[in-house]
Amino acid sequence: MHPPLNSSEELWRFRSKVLLFTLLAICAELALHAMRFLGIWQSVFWDMYALRFVVLLFTCVLAYVVLEWLERESQLAAILALALGFFPLAIGHAHVMRVLGSAFGLVQGEQGPIVFAAESWALFLLLWGSAVLASFYRTRLTREKTLRREAIATAHRAKMRALRYRLNPHFLFNTLNSIGLLALEKRKHEAETLISRLATFLRASLRKDVSGYHSLAAEFAQADDYLQIEQVRFPDRLSTKVDLPKHLENAAVPPFLIQPLIELAIGEGVSRSPGPVTLEIRAIRDNKTLQVELGWRSEQLADDGPSNSVAGLPDLTSVISEEYDLAVENRRGGVLLKLTGTLRYIVDAESQAASNLIGESALATEQVDG
């Protein structure tokens, strides 16, 4: 069963559309009928067709009430009711018309079997009822798709919020510990720089609009703050290379796209490596797709021959945006991670603040030309 309409306002809006359609359909039916019988009913033309209009409208309203009630319970029940009930309803309608026409003196003389009189009404009621049920189905199907999109969007926002607040406690502890050591060694300038970078990183993490997008330049800037902090912990073991082409700086990406990859690189690559590790991040445009690569490589491990570093890596699918595909590859002395998704651009990039607040509706939705 399809979900109900969202609110009474939405239901009444749908009913208004059905009423308008019904009025137009009745007018069309009466116009076609009048073209055939204008000469016969010329003396009582307006009275007869006014009566036909009122009775047919009442019949349609009654049929709609029944169809709406049945459709709420079961779509199949509504279809069966229309299939089995349209002709009996037409007979009842024809009988009412005959009784009222005689009472108002609009129908006189010998009248044929009522079944023949109901034939024209039966076709109208069948077509009208089918159109109403089709409208019900389309409206509820649209509602179902909307609910599904809202559920997916809600789940995505919840995941992004969880990622935003999932600050690795080891990272925070180690950073504070590094600040303390710098203070004890009276390296005031370095301690102040580290505090500033930590504050910048935390501020950027908390202000991101998790339901929107920001520029790839902003994403790389946040990654740089994180890596600068980690370099204080691993001054002789961590070196970084970042390559962001100018034409990709304004590419639109979800917040925290590469943060989980960097945390993985630090935890699995740098901290466990016995020697220096080079961490590389670069963005590549491949026709109409954006590819972000993050890899780490240890020269010492590379000298030892091929490794199987991928086998022990944790699963990252739960913290990666659904819009991007993740590929993990072994390489000599380390691992290469690749994120691939559709390339889009933020429309207005005049200020970084604007790009932080810009949402999906403000994206250049057309894929870029190859």
Side-chain angles (χ1 to χ4, degrees), residues 122-139:
L123 180 59
F124 172 83
L125 291 173
L126 178 61
L127 295 176
W128 172 86
S130 299
V132 170
L133 289 182
S135 298
F136 265 120
Y137 179 77
R138 179 182 177 183
T139 301

Side-chain angles (χ1 to χ4, degrees), residues 144-307:
E144 185 177 1
K145 291 180 179 179
T146 300
L147 290 176
R148 188 182 297 114
R149 285 196 300 267
E150 291 176 353
I152 294 174
T154 300
H156 175 71
R157 287 194 295 269
K159 186 173 77 172
M160 290 297 101
R161 287 194 182 96
L163 183 60
R164 168 195 281 181
Y165 297 119
R166 189 189 62 83
L167 183 62
N168 191 324
H170 295 290
F171 162 73
L172 186 58
F173 171 79
N174 291 328
T175 303
L176 294 176
N177 188 50
S178 298
I179 294 173
L181 290 176
L182 291 175
L184 287 176
E185 295 173 4
K186 297 183 178 180
R187 297 159 63 182
K188 179 180 177 182
H189 178 70
E190 295 179 36
E192 289 178 349
T193 301
L194 186 56
I195 292 173
S196 177
R197 289 193 176 275
L198 178 61
T200 301
F201 173 78
L202 294 178
R203 189 181 302 111
S205 299
L206 293 176
R207 76 186 178 191
K208 299 299 182 188
D209 179 11
V210 296
S211 62
Y213 292 78
H214 68 167
S215 67
L216 188 59
E219 183 75 9
F220 270 56
Q222 183 175 341
D224 182 66
D225 287 331
Y226 185 91
L227 291 174
Q228 291 294 334
I229 293 171
E230 291 292 355
Q231 278 188 319
V232 176
R233 292 178 54 204
F234 306 104
D236 301 323
R237 292 168 56 190
L238 173 62
S239 61
T240 62
K241 295 180 180 179
V242 178
D243 180 15
L244 176 59
K246 188 72 175 178
H247 64 275
L248 291 178
E249 290 182 355
N250 199 33
V253 296
F256 313 105
L257 177 65
I258 60 177
Q259 183 65 29
L261 306 186
I262 298 175
E263 293 180 5
L264 178 67
I266 297 297
E268 299 293 330
V270 180
S271 63
R272 296 187 181 186
S273 175
V277 174
T278 300
L279 193 153
E280 300 176 342
I281 307 175
R282 65 172 182 164
I284 305 171
R285 172 181 171 178
D286 183 10
N287 196 12
K288 298 179 181 181
T289 62
L290 171 66
Q291 184 170 295
V292 179
E293 295 184 354
L294 184 147
W296 64 89
R297 186 173 184 273
S298 170
E299 294 295 337
Q300 182 174 342
L301 294 178
D303 294 338
D304 295 338
S307 63

Side-chain angles (χ1 to χ4, degrees), residues 96-114:
V96 171
M97 278 295 303
R98 182 168 292 185
V99 171
L100 293 178
S102 299
F104 289 105
L106 301 177
V107 178
Q108 300 176 356
E110 187 68 22
Q111 301 178 25
I114 198 167

